[in-house]
Amino acid sequence: MTLAALLAFAGTTLLLVLTPGLDSMLVIRHSVAGGIRAGLATIAGTLAGTALWAAASVAGLTALLTASPVAYDAVRIGGAGYLIWMGVSALYKSFRAGKSTVDDAADQPLRPLRALRRGIVTNVLNPKVGVFFISLLPQFLPTTGNNTGWAALLVGIHLGLCAAWYPVLAVVGDRARTILRQARFRRILDRVTAGVLVGLGLKLALQSG
């Protein structure tokens, strides 16, 4: 593998990491809901889930998942159901908070352990993460010899870029807490997030392998 290939992979991955997506949305929302600790816990969960898919890709398990429509659809539908459930829950809580004189979200901030679990589950139940690795990595790997070490290096670059960018989003979410945790803004944030989650869940459910 050449330096040019490494730089090309890093550049491609950086663009993908900077593009707003489900992970970045979760990091910001959890940072608003639970502060910087919840945001960092979400990042840890996201990285752990991504690392699991990366390890599966390197081991060839993702290729098997891609080749088996039944297995792929099972993971896909499970992930879609989880996203829709989170979206509907957020929507329900936003209307419930609107009928109450007490800001329940402020009284019960998101705990880091829960944020960690959400980050892991959201990624593990999204087969598109695995397909991303199995489709992208081979384009930057040597065509001869044992590629396991190089694949691990590319995965490390990807995780490193995520680990460098997501804390920035966590800080932004944490700094915006004073405004966004006000009842009015919190309801808006919850409803926008709910719409995005349900939309992503439906999109994942309707997509074919």
Side-chain angles (χ1 to χ4, degrees):
M1 174 176 288
T2 64
L3 178 60
L6 285 175
L7 292 177
F9 175 82
T12 302
T13 303
L14 179 61
L15 290 176
L16 294 174
V17 171
L18 294 178
T19 301
L22 176 60
D23 290 339
S24 56
M25 182 194 69
L26 283 179
V27 170
I28 293 176
R29 184 178 186 276
H30 288 175
S31 298
V32 172
I36 192 67
R37 292 182 59 191
L40 294 178
T42 305
I43 295 171
T46 296
L47 294 178
T50 303
L52 288 175
W53 273 118
S57 301
V58 173
L61 297 179
T62 305
L64 178 62
L65 181 65
T66 305
S68 173
V70 175
Y72 180 88
D73 287 342
V75 177
R76 177 174 58 84
I77 295 301
Y82 180 71
L83 291 177
I84 294 172
W85 176 80
M86 284 203 304
V88 172
S89 296
L91 189 62
Y92 170 76
K93 290 178 181 178
S94 73
F95 282 104
R96 180 187 176 191
K99 296 180 181 179
S100 175
T101 57
V102 179
D103 188 354
D104 295 333
D107 291 339
Q108 299 178 355
L110 180 66
R111 296 181 181 277
L113 183 59
R114 188 177 183 186
L116 174 68
R117 184 172 64 250
R118 284 183 179 179
I120 294 174
V121 174
T122 299
N123 276 265
V124 169
L125 290 181
N126 186 1
K128 294 295 182 181
V129 178
V131 174
F132 160 77
F133 282 113
I134 204 66
S135 61
L136 184 64
L137 291 185
Q139 301 181 40
F140 296 91
L141 292 175
T143 57
T144 59
N146 188 350
N147 294 328
T148 303
W150 288 113
L153 175 61
L154 296 182
V155 170
I157 291 175
H158 175 79
L159 294 177
L161 291 174
C162 291
W165 173 241
Y166 289 157
V168 176
L169 300 179
V171 171
V172 171
D174 181 59
R175 295 293 176 85
R177 291 184 76 198
T178 302
I179 297 177
L180 295 179
R181 282 178 64 83
Q182 295 178 15
R184 177 185 175 186
F185 289 103
R186 180 54 186 267
R187 287 195 296 271
I188 294 175
L189 177 64
D190 283 345
R191 290 169 189 177
V192 170
T193 302
V196 173
L197 289 172
V198 172
L200 289 173
L202 291 175
K203 180 180 178 182
L204 185 60
L206 296 175
Q207 284 179 342
S208 61

